[in-house]
Amino acid sequence: MAISEALVVYGLIVVIYGVLVIHVTQTWSGDWRVDRSLPAWFTLDNFMMISFALSFFGFIVWRYLKYTEQ
């Protein structure tokens, strides 16, 4: 249950961070030093989508575990 809670919290933190970075820099995939060492498909928008999907999956697992605990 703690792992699913952590997925929800940290996944949403990454999504909020990504939205802020995108609005501040006015770009989806800027020419950042970090992006140069990553694969071409792994940009900030893909990272945000993956973290949101993990957060949603963690929320579903958390709700299921909370329901079966009762």
Side-chain angles (χ1 to χ4, degrees):
M1 195 159 173
I3 293 173
S4 63
E5 289 175 355
L7 279 176
V8 170
V9 170
Y10 291 120
L12 290 178
I13 287 173
V14 169
V15 170
I16 291 169
Y17 167 76
V19 168
L20 286 174
V21 167
I22 286 169
H23 284 288
V24 167
T25 61
Q26 298 294 318
T27 181
W28 279 96
S29 57
D31 188 22
W32 300 330
R33 202 176 280 170
V34 177
D35 285 346
R36 292 183 199 145
S37 59
L38 295 173
W41 62 269
F42 196 64
T43 57
L44 181 61
D45 56 342
N46 288 336
F47 184 58
M48 283 177 46
M49 288 187 286
I50 291 169
S51 67
F52 183 76
L54 285 175
S55 175
F56 187 71
F57 176 73
F59 179 73
I60 291 173
V61 169
W62 176 72
R63 290 286 296 192
Y64 175 74
L65 291 175
K66 190 175 176 184
Y67 175 75
T68 58
E69 190 177 71
Q70 294 176 355

